Amino acid sequence: MKKLINNPDNVVRESQEGMAIAHPDLIKIHLNPHFIYRADAPIQNKVAIISGGGSGHEPMHGGFVGMGMLDAACPGEIFTSPTPDQMLEAAKTVNGGVGILNIVKNYSGDVMNFEMAAELAYSESIEVLNILIDDDVAVKDSLYTQGRRGVGTTVLAEKICGAAADQGYDLKTIAELCRKVNLNGRSMGMALTSCTTPAKGSSTFDLGDDEIEVGIGIHGEPGRQRISLKSADEITEMLAISIIEDSSYTRTVREWDVDQGEWIEVELTDPPLKSGDSVLAFVNSMGGTPLSELYIVYRKLAEICEQKGLQIVRNLVGSYITSLEMQGCSITLLKLDDELMKLWDAPVKTASLRWGI
Amino acid sequence: MKKLINNPDNVVRESQEGMAIAHPDLIKIHLNPHFIYRADAPIQNKVAIISGGGSGHEPMHGGFVGMGMLDAACPGEIFTSPTPDQMLEAAKTVNGGVGILNIVKNYSGDVMNFEMAAELAYSESIEVLNILIDDDVAVKDSLYTQGRRGVGTTVLAEKICGAAADQGYDLKTIAELCRKVNLNGRSMGMALTSCTTPAKGSSTFDLGDDEIEVGIGIHGEPGRQRISLKSADEITEMLAISIIEDSSYTRTVREWDVDQGEWIEVELTDPPLKSGDSVLAFVNSMGGTPLSELYIVYRKLAEICEQKGLQIVRNLVGSYITSLEMQGCSITLLKLDDELMKLWDAPVKTASLRWGI
């Protein structure tokens, strides 16, 4: 295993300490339990946005803490869910008195622990709503997930909800907004190579010299198919068409009913993309794929969107939700309306996403 | 070879076409000869800043074209110098009537071709000055270079000179500023793995499973030593101490004498870093190393700088000057004064570096 690390046990802590040292104007680190939070938190009368999940996907989530995006990020060990005590302490630290939105990627451990954290927060009179991101069209049910996995749309939801919180949206409205982003967003990824977690020290999975995995998860979970290497254009087409032609997806999610004070089951259906829609196109590196290759993917994606009558009105190209040094990419298409576009354009100042300020 | 590409012959063009499609508000692409330039060029009465070099180092240079940084970037094929006709046509396209600064990394091919381009531009009455970046302390003379190679300081010089051009500096003053940045900047890199150019299709060089190359160049040129894998802290210390304890370096460079209308030889010496200096600390990924590992390096670098009496007042952490998918990192320390800091902080809006706007 060749990595720029010291003791494998300390990778997450040392990396996040480095972040905090590099960006003291933006973030602070809290240890025992471990989370990153805005240096100017808590901000009174602003809904706080928290996310978190296993580490190894950097810059998500710690790199998105700051003005106009997250108030706190709770990192687990690499590819391992964070624990409820991290989420609870983060909630108490950034609580501005008007509630907290937890943006939760759909992995069983994350879902369970964020639910427990919400209950603990309620018992301390902090109002919390959890919204699930489950945008990966590749597979239904996976290694660590019931239903679709949460991937690229998470980054976009964090940006958009962070802007809404800045603009004074209340908790319930931000939760509805986050749900809308999730229902409007679809993603799919692929891997050219595996990755190696420091704890294991060897490849997470094996992939032949001429093989790629299409529909892979961000922890190397199996995708739709393992096929021989294809051209960038062919790969882009496989991902883009799967996303664009994905039909309505209906799932039942557990959400906290504020009025009843209990968990209820809610059925949600996302509308399929259709010709004439405006979209944000997000081409993401799995970590080890260089930017130059992402633009080759973007070039083909733009052509396909045009053929399908989708107008790309915003985009994001780079490494935002990664799997350590895995080579490969993911594509996310988020249907935009005027509200989402305005919130996307709003100023943001974090370690890894910044504009307008 | 596993890459997200189509025909290896078209990698550079397709990638840059993707960039131009993704960022039409910022850049345009010119083909035959090939360069990327600001969408709003030429800007009258502003010195234009041009850079270029072999491709494979993205986002450098195309990702740095835009407001507050480069006016044009001339890409060669991967790890291959661009040609004088690209540079000349770029100069004619972005010429705002008050001269052009070419920022040239010290590789023999780049130097020769940018010199020829400057002469051609003069013959068309466009005033051009070339400033060399030769900041890599690892080795003197290398595979493609006489003297020290030009690496990380290039990114910083492009940002700082771009801001100066925006603020109305004249050509001669910007050239002096660029020279100051180069003399104040020092870098050194290392590789955990090799990289593969699409044209060759196999590793640029071989590195054993337990080996790293310290002092490597951005094309895989040999560094100072090949040693067994070390911890991130040990590697950071090797790079940082080499940079901090580097003594004065004196070189003779060829610069165009505007008044005489001929090339003259100029002797330049960079002052060593000393306790009490303020620095910009730049930790850069070679392409395939994830952001999380860069912050582990930054954590140790900050500790070393503090021990050595260097105050880090600005920083940059990410993938800015890369070698395709090579794993590894480089460190650059740039001594800052008030002028450089003010220009660094000025707004910039490019595909890959953006703040303040």
Side-chain angles (χ1 to χ4, degrees):
Chain A
M1 173 177 58
K2 278 180 165 180
K3 289 179 182 292
L4 289 169
I5 62 172
N6 297 302
N7 184 336
D9 293 340
N10 302 335
V11 165
V12 173
R13 180 180 56 77
E14 289 183 357
S15 176
Q16 299 229 324
E17 283 176 355
M19 269 198 73
I21 293 167
H23 310 292
D25 53 324
L26 294 175
I27 55 174
K28 288 182 183 166
I29 189 169
H30 186 286
L31 295 173
N32 304 315
H34 182 176
F35 56 93
I36 292 271
Y37 63 105
R38 273 179 71 156
D40 55 356
I43 298 158
Q44 295 305 322
N45 299 315
K46 186 188 85 71
V47 172
I49 316 285
I50 298 179
S51 192
S55 293
H57 308 299
E58 290 70 23
M60 189 183 78
H61 300 273
F64 302 141
V65 176
M67 200 284 279
M69 213 160 165
L70 297 179
D71 291 82
C74 305
E77 284 303 307
I78 289 185
F79 295 176
T80 304
S81 294
T83 51
D85 62 316
Q86 292 174 259
M87 301 156 184
L88 175 65
E89 194 66 30
K92 288 157 74 172
T93 302
V94 301
N95 177 27
V98 290
I100 287 167
L101 175 72
N102 287 332
I103 300 179
V104 185
K105 299 193 301 303
N106 190 32
Y107 298 96
S108 302
D110 289 7
V111 173
M112 188 178 70
N113 290 346
F114 267 110
E115 284 189 4
M116 200 178 298
E119 290 174 7
L120 292 169
Y122 271 102
S123 74
E124 302 202 23
S125 302
I126 302 173
E127 200 173 4
V128 175
L129 290 177
N130 292 358
I131 294 291
L132 214 62
I133 306 292
D134 58 351
D135 62 318
D136 188 340
V137 304
V139 292
K140 167 111 176 61
D141 298 333
S142 183
L143 201 54
Y144 310 113
T145 317
Q146 287 191 306
R148 290 182 168 179
R149 300 172 298 220
V151 287
T153 300
T154 314
V155 178
L156 313 180
E158 292 176 3
K159 166 67 185 83
I160 287 168
C161 294
D166 264 3
Q167 294 180 17
Y169 281 47
D170 65 24
L171 178 60
K172 208 169 158 189
T173 313
I174 293 189
E176 280 160 16
L177 175 75
C178 191
R179 197 185 291 121
K180 178 168 88 172
V181 173
N182 183 43
L183 296 179
N184 278 1
R186 284 176 167 79
S187 301
M188 191 157 139
M190 60 77 57
L192 293 163
T193 65
S194 179
C195 61
T196 298
T197 61
K200 188 179 174 207
S202 59
S203 284
T204 302
F205 60 97
D206 293 316
L207 207 51
D209 283 346
D210 188 43
E211 274 183 333
I212 61 173
E213 175 95 19
V214 178
I216 195 141
I218 55 172
H219 313 95
E221 305 97 310
R224 284 194 184 178
Q225 50 181 337
R226 187 166 288 203
I227 55 175
S228 62
L229 183 62
K230 300 267 180 279
S231 72
D233 283 358
E234 289 168 311
I235 289 169
T236 304
E237 192 159 358
M238 293 179 76
L239 300 181
I241 296 296
S242 297
I243 290 168
I244 294 170
E245 297 189 347
D246 184 57
S247 55
S248 279
Y249 170 60
T250 299
R251 73 286 248 170
T252 302
V253 300
R254 275 162 58 89
E255 291 193 2
W256 184 261
D257 186 297
V258 178
D259 302 323
Q260 306 292 326
E262 62 181 11
W263 294 100
I264 55 169
E265 300 212 321
V266 182
E267 192 179 273
L268 299 173
T269 301
D270 44 355
L273 284 164
K274 59 180 194 304
S275 179
D277 283 347
S278 293
V279 296
L280 186 160
F282 172 24
V283 176
N284 173 62
S285 166
M286 289 295 192
T289 277
L291 184 61
S292 52
E293 295 179 26
L294 299 185
Y295 280 117
I296 293 178
V297 170
Y298 187 88
R299 176 179 173 274
K300 182 67 181 175
L301 177 63
E303 183 190 309
I304 295 168
C305 284
E306 192 176 348
Q307 285 165 356
K308 294 286 181 182
L310 299 175
Q311 195 189 353
I312 301 179
V313 292
R314 295 291 184 275
N315 60 55
L316 185 67
V317 183
S319 296
Y320 294 99
I321 166 171
T322 63
S323 302
L324 297 167
E325 78 286 3
M326 185 188 284
Q327 289 180 32
C329 72
S330 65
I331 292 174
T332 299
L333 294 179
L334 172 66
K335 181 182 167 177
L336 290 179
D337 58 19
D338 288 348
E339 180 190 34
L340 297 185
M341 194 143 59
K342 199 186 79 188
L343 292 167
W344 176 257
D345 288 343
V348 60
K349 187 178 180 182
T350 68
S352 295
L353 205 65
R354 182 172 173 183
W355 55 72
I357 194 162
Chain B
M1 172 176 59
K2 277 181 165 180
K3 288 179 183 291
L4 290 170
I5 62 173
N6 298 301
N7 183 335
D9 292 341
N10 303 334
V11 165
V12 173
R13 180 180 55 77
E14 289 184 357
S15 176
Q16 300 228 324
E17 283 176 355
M19 268 197 73
I21 294 167
H23 310 292
D25 54 322
L26 294 176
I27 55 174
K28 289 183 182 165
I29 189 169
H30 186 287
L31 296 174
N32 304 315
H34 182 179
F35 55 92
I36 292 271
Y37 63 106
R38 274 179 72 155
D40 55 354
I43 298 158
Q44 294 305 322
N45 299 315
K46 185 188 86 69
V47 173
I49 316 285
I50 298 179
S51 192
S55 293
H57 308 299
E58 290 71 22
M60 189 182 78
H61 301 273
F64 303 142
V65 176
M67 199 282 280
M69 213 160 166
L70 296 180
D71 290 82
C74 304
E77 285 303 307
I78 290 183
F79 294 176
T80 304
S81 293
T83 51
D85 62 316
Q86 294 174 260
M87 301 155 185
L88 175 64
E89 194 66 29
K92 287 158 74 173
T93 302
V94 302
N95 177 26
V98 290
I100 287 166
L101 175 72
N102 287 330
I103 300 179
V104 185
K105 299 193 302 301
N106 190 32
Y107 298 97
S108 302
D110 289 6
V111 172
M112 188 177 70
N113 290 347
F114 268 110
E115 284 188 4
M116 200 177 298
E119 289 174 7
L120 291 168
Y122 271 102
S123 72
E124 302 201 22
S125 302
I126 302 174
E127 199 174 5
V128 174
L129 291 177
N130 292 359
I131 294 292
L132 215 62
I133 306 293
D134 58 350
D135 62 318
D136 188 340
V137 304
V139 291
K140 169 114 176 60
D141 298 333
S142 183
L143 201 53
Y144 310 113
T145 317
Q146 286 190 308
R148 289 182 170 180
R149 302 174 296 221
V151 287
T153 299
T154 314
V155 177
L156 313 181
E158 291 177 3
K159 166 67 185 84
I160 287 167
C161 293
D166 264 3
Q167 294 181 16
Y169 280 48
D170 66 23
L171 178 60
K172 207 170 160 189
T173 313
I174 293 190
E176 280 161 15
L177 174 73
C178 191
R179 197 186 290 120
K180 179 168 87 173
V181 172
N182 183 44
L183 296 179
N184 278 3
R186 285 178 167 79
S187 301
M188 191 156 139
M190 60 78 57
L192 293 163
T193 65
S194 181
C195 61
T196 298
T197 62
K200 188 179 174 207
S202 60
S203 284
T204 302
F205 60 97
D206 293 315
L207 207 51
D209 282 347
D210 187 43
E211 275 183 334
I212 62 174
E213 175 94 22
V214 178
I216 195 140
I218 56 171
H219 313 94
E221 305 96 310
R224 283 193 184 179
Q225 50 180 337
R226 186 165 287 203
I227 56 174
S228 62
L229 183 61
K230 300 266 182 278
S231 72
D233 283 358
E234 289 169 311
I235 289 168
T236 305
E237 191 159 0
M238 291 178 78
L239 299 181
I241 296 297
S242 296
I243 291 168
I244 294 169
E245 297 188 347
D246 184 59
S247 55
S248 279
Y249 170 61
T250 300
R251 75 286 247 169
T252 303
V253 299
R254 273 161 60 88
E255 292 191 2
W256 185 261
D257 186 296
V258 178
D259 303 323
Q260 306 291 325
E262 61 180 13
W263 295 100
I264 56 168
E265 299 211 322
V266 183
E267 192 179 274
L268 299 173
T269 301
D270 45 355
L273 285 164
K274 60 181 194 305
S275 180
D277 283 346
S278 293
V279 296
L280 185 159
F282 173 23
V283 176
N284 173 63
S285 166
M286 289 295 192
T289 277
L291 184 61
S292 52
E293 296 178 26
L294 298 185
Y295 280 117
I296 293 178
V297 170
Y298 187 87
R299 176 179 174 273
K300 182 67 182 178
L301 177 62
E303 182 190 309
I304 295 168
C305 283
E306 192 176 347
Q307 285 166 356
K308 294 287 181 180
L310 299 175
Q311 195 190 352
I312 301 179
V313 293
R314 293 292 182 276
N315 61 56
L316 184 67
V317 183
S319 296
Y320 294 99
I321 167 172
T322 63
S323 303
L324 296 168
E325 77 287 1
M326 184 187 285
Q327 289 180 31
C329 72
S330 66
I331 292 174
T332 299
L333 294 179
L334 171 66
K335 180 182 168 177
L336 290 179
D337 57 21
D338 288 346
E339 179 189 35
L340 297 185
M341 194 142 58
K342 197 186 81 187
L343 293 167
W344 177 257
D345 288 343
V348 60
K349 186 178 181 183
T350 69
S352 295
L353 205 67
R354 182 172 172 182
W355 56 72
I357 194 162

